[in-house]
Each structure stands twice: as structure tokens, then as C-alpha cells.
Amino acid sequence: MSSGPLSQKLFATAKQYIPGGVNSPVRAFRNVGGEPFFVRRAKGSRIHDVDGRVMIDYVGTWGPAILGHAPQVVLEAIHDAAKEGISFGIPNPYEVDMARTICEWVPSVEKVRMVSSGTEATMSAIRLARGYTGRDLIVKFEGCYHGHVDSLLVAAGSGALTHGNPDSAGVPRGFADLTVVLPFNDPAALEELFEKRGGEIAALIVEPYPANAGLILPKPGFLQLLRDITAKHGTVLIFDEVMTGFRLAKGGVQELEGITPDLTCMGKVIGGGLPVGAFGGRAEIMNMLAPDGPVYQAGTLSGNPVAMAAGLAQLREMDKQKGYDKLEENGQLFEEVVLETLTKKGLGYRWYRKGSMFCLFFTEREVHDLHDAKTADLAAFRKFFHYCLEHGVYFAPSQFETGFMSLAHSPDDILQTAEMAAAALASL
Ligand code: HOZ
């Protein structure tokens, strides 16, 4: 679908002043062809573009909008907090509430530091792990994306993968050399590396359900192996739960899988749509942070009162509404209709879902790692994406991203989407 005339005009101007016309490469639509549309308004499960088109949205601002867009409770919390001041740079009571809530909800977190994005969280957690262990090497998995941190932009997912640039230019070789990349779900490769270099590895960072190369689930026992092997070698295990945290359960994947990482990175849902990240974990490690310890980390807007109020309102509303159970019900309904459609159409495409996160891979191969994900038929994905957009449903403009449902998606929305998706698949 081509974007409307107003979007086209805005994009032409944007390109004059913003590299590529976008503030995040994933939004450029380049790999699906065409140009991005510009949004005037988003409410509930719907986004409205500047040309007056309305779409059911399954991107949800890339994860944060778990209650739907612009929920009343969050709007009110923002309003109430902002009336008292927008930023202090001095401690405020909301920060304490937020820290206590995170420590109560996330099983492994004893202490937490607030930051302003997921990238800041992973960057700081890596530095902290290095400071704590006195080691330099870190391990990550192919296709996992941990924000645009220098040493983590190696074999990265999300926009880096979508645009064919998983190893970014501008990352000094010395940084990249300190990052060892392994295939996800491969115990033998992991064991071999730790056997050889275990004593040098400061941290192993992982998205426990990788969600930046589509959605990939760990094989049974893989996350436990990560826990056991890192504990044995004195390596800090970091769960990047920026996408899964507060999204799949109050305590994220670590609660669902019963694994206790040493550090956890958080973001997205926790900010209620405002820019918030956090990292936390064992007090013994967190106490290494300045001003108590020697590992420096800071941020002018960290713990910002308006952002904290928005995030707290969203988390409390999820709790009040038993939101995670409802999202699982919606997810199951969506799954049933998708699987039924695939069977009816005789398509062997692979579907993965956890709670409100999902991905349809346009490949018949089971997807356990990046290599499998890359067997997807990207031309088929493109056609599917544009058909859906033209018919009022917006999925992420990349095969290598995850879809999100929210509490604002009604069963009717889901059935309407499924009907439309069936037609889209039939059109391929
Ligand atoms: N990490 C997000 C995608 N997985 C970033 C997308 C964006 O900011 O456009």
C-alpha cells in the first residue's frame, strides 16, 4: 500500500532533516518497500494516520502499549504528576514506588537502577558485570538485539538484521573482539566456549525469548543450562527482558521459566509509553554501582517523575485487571484462528506465540535460531504485510520483529484480523 498524500509530504520533508527520514531505522519500511505512514493519533487498539486511515495495530509502539494506546489511567497519572513539575533531577517519591514495585514483581531483582531506555539498561549492565568480575569478555547470541550498544551490535537482530547490517560500522574492532557470539539453542557450542574461556567471561547476555529475529523460544533445558554454566564459571547471567518483562507475566520470563538471572534489563511496558529503562538484580552486584561502588553510571532524566508515574499507573492497572491472564486468553483465541487458517490453506508456515507476543514465520522450517529464521520467504512476507496494511491491519514492517496484542484488542478485533489475514495468505 502506498502511504497517503500527507504522509508522503511529511516524509519528503523529514528526509531533508532526519537521516533516512526516520528516528529509528526499523520505521523506514525499506525492506518491505514503500514509505512509512505518519500517525496523527493512537487510541486503544487503533492507530489513525495523518491521511485519515485507521488501522488495528499489532506493533503497540514496539511493546510498551500493553493496555492499548493512550489508556485513561496513564493519561491521568501523567497529568497529575506533570502538574507538580516535569523533571527535578533530585529524588522524588515515584522513584521509590517504582523500585519497590519492580523488586516485588521480578523474582531476581533485589535492587534496581532506573534509566531512560533499554539500550542504557543493557549498556550499564554490561559495564557493571565487567566491574564486578574484573573480566572483559562478553557472550551474546546470534539475532538477539540488546539496543545499539557498541559491544552488542555484533550479529544483532531487529533493525540491524532487517537492514542487513548486523555488525554496525563505527564499532571499534577492539570492542567487537570482546564479544563472542554463539548460536541460540546450541548447548554444545556453549559448553565448548565455557570449557575453553569460561574464566575470561564477565557476562552472558540473552533475550530469554529472543524477540528481535521474529520470536524464538528456548528448547527445554537451554535457559537452565545458561544458569548452571554461568554460575559454575563465575560469569554474570544477564536476562534482557526489555521486551518480555512485565509483558508476559509480572516477573517476565524468569518467573515463567523459574530461572534466576544475576541481572535483568527492563524497559518498554515499564514506562507506560514514556522513555524508561531499568536494570537490577542481586544486591551484591548492584552495590558495585556509583555512588556506593566504583562502577560509574548516571542520567539526567533517570527516575523522571512523569515517566515513573506513567509506568506505575500502567503496571498497577495490569495487576488490577489481571491483565496477564486476559492477554493469554486473547492470545489463545488469535492462535486458534491463525492455526486453523494455515491448516485450511495447506500452508506449513511456522507460528510461535507466548501470551500476547507472536510471530508468523514465512518458512516451513521449525525456527530454533537465527539461521532457521533467515530461511523465511521475505517476498511472501512483504506481500502479506502490504495486503494487511491496505485492509486496515498494521503488523511490524519486518519479518524479524514480534507482534504484540494489548488489553484493548477485543475478541472482535482479533476475529476481524484473522479473517483479513486469511485473505492475505490466500492472495500470496
Ligand atoms: N527495539 C525496537 C524493535 N524491536 C525498536 C524499534 C523502533 O524504535 O523503531
Side-chain angles (χ1 to χ4, degrees):
M1 176 180 93
S2 56
S3 54
L6 265 180
S7 281
Q8 284 174 21
K9 203 168 163 218
L10 278 166
F11 194 49
T13 311
K15 281 193 288 188
Q16 285 175 28
Y17 301 107
I18 306 173
V22 290
N23 282 313
S24 174
V26 195
R27 302 172 199 171
F29 274 48
R30 280 199 188 160
N31 74 307
V32 287
E35 293 186 348
F37 58 88
F38 282 66
V39 175
R40 162 94 53 219
R41 175 171 189 267
K43 188 78 186 165
S45 61
R46 301 292 203 275
I47 44 181
H48 304 242
D49 79 1
V50 289
D51 291 287
R53 294 189 284 207
V54 185
M55 286 149 271
I56 305 179
D57 175 30
Y58 290 94
V59 177
T61 185
W62 301 97
I66 197 164
L67 296 172
H69 289 287
Q72 196 56 30
V73 281
V74 175
L75 292 179
E76 280 165 17
I78 290 173
H79 184 249
D80 291 349
K83 269 195 316 202
E84 305 297 330
I86 290 168
S87 177
F88 309 135
I90 303 170
N92 68 75
Y94 294 109
E95 297 173 82
V96 187
D97 263 5
M98 178 59 98
R100 188 173 34 227
T101 304
I102 294 173
C103 292
E104 282 170 6
W105 283 29
V106 186
S108 66
V109 177
E110 294 170 350
K111 281 194 174 179
V112 62
R113 172 68 55 86
M114 301 310 299
V115 290
S116 300
S117 72
T119 292
E120 275 188 66
T122 55
M123 175 187 76
S124 308
I126 292 287
R127 184 183 308 131
L128 177 58
R130 284 177 164 151
Y132 174 73
T133 56
R135 303 171 182 175
D136 290 339
L137 215 57
I138 56 172
V139 179
K140 77 174 283 288
F141 292 97
E142 282 167 356
C144 280
Y145 175 73
H146 306 287
H148 55 99
V149 179
D150 273 348
S151 52
L152 296 171
L153 274 182
V154 185
S158 192
L161 171 62
T162 301
H163 297 292
N165 203 10
D167 305 303
S168 173
V171 173
R173 173 172 284 277
F175 289 12
D177 285 348
L178 291 174
T179 305
V180 181
V181 181
L182 292 178
F184 190 70
N185 272 328
D186 184 342
L190 183 76
E191 277 157 358
E192 194 188 325
L193 174 71
F194 273 83
E195 199 56 47
K196 281 195 198 138
R197 307 190 69 179
E200 298 169 60
I201 303 171
L204 180 149
I205 185 164
V206 62
E207 294 180 76
Y209 295 168
N212 282 287
L215 178 64
I216 301 176
L217 300 176
K219 286 185 182 164
F222 187 66
L223 295 179
Q224 187 60 55
L225 176 64
L226 298 185
R227 177 61 289 180
D228 294 344
I229 210 161
T230 48
K232 179 171 162 205
H233 291 274
T235 295
V236 174
L237 176 62
I238 305 174
F239 269 16
D240 177 347
E241 296 230 44
V242 169
M243 287 177 108
T244 51
F246 312 100
R247 158 64 60 183
L248 296 180
K250 283 169 85 169
V253 175
Q254 57 196 271
E255 178 193 314
L256 296 178
E257 301 276 347
I259 309 282
T260 309
D262 299 304
L263 294 178
T264 301
C265 300
M266 295 157 269
K268 299 206 188 258
V269 168
I270 202 182
L274 295 192
V276 176
F279 63 103
R282 272 167 49 202
E284 182 205 351
I285 303 178
M286 293 301 290
N287 288 340
M288 293 286 290
L289 277 180
D292 286 349
V295 178
Y296 197 72
Q297 185 278 329
T300 299
L301 292 171
S302 299
N304 171 273
V306 182
M308 296 296 96
L312 280 166
Q314 171 142 282
L315 296 181
R316 286 175 181 151
E317 188 63 16
M318 280 300 291
D319 199 22
K320 190 171 140 200
Q321 289 199 33
K322 298 210 181 333
Y324 300 103
D325 297 342
K326 283 193 192 156
L327 285 176
E328 175 56 27
E329 280 168 30
N330 280 357
Q332 275 177 23
L333 175 65
F334 200 28
E335 178 158 295
E336 273 163 32
V337 284
V338 171
L339 293 179
E340 203 183 288
T341 306
L342 290 176
T343 312
K344 265 197 212 149
K345 306 260 174 257
L347 291 168
Y349 293 155
R350 296 288 170 170
W351 161 264
Y352 294 90
R353 177 190 70 88
K354 274 283 171 184
S356 55
M357 296 172 73
F358 63 86
C359 179
L360 178 65
F361 279 108
F362 284 70
T363 177
E364 300 201 349
R365 187 178 171 131
E366 272 194 64
V367 179
H368 296 300
D369 57 23
L370 179 63
H371 181 70
D372 298 331
K374 282 169 108 174
T375 63
D377 179 349
L378 298 184
F381 172 80
R382 262 179 229 130
K383 276 194 193 162
F384 174 82
F385 169 83
H386 281 294
Y387 186 101
C388 295
L389 197 57
E390 212 165 297
H391 291 82
V393 173
Y394 177 51
F395 291 117
S398 166
Q399 168 73 96
F400 303 117
E401 296 285 353
T402 291
F404 296 100
M405 272 178 276
S406 76
L407 281 187
H409 288 84
S410 67
D412 271 359
D413 286 340
I414 292 170
L415 294 174
Q416 192 182 320
T417 303
E419 211 170 286
M420 193 281 317
L425 288 169
S427 78
L428 294 180

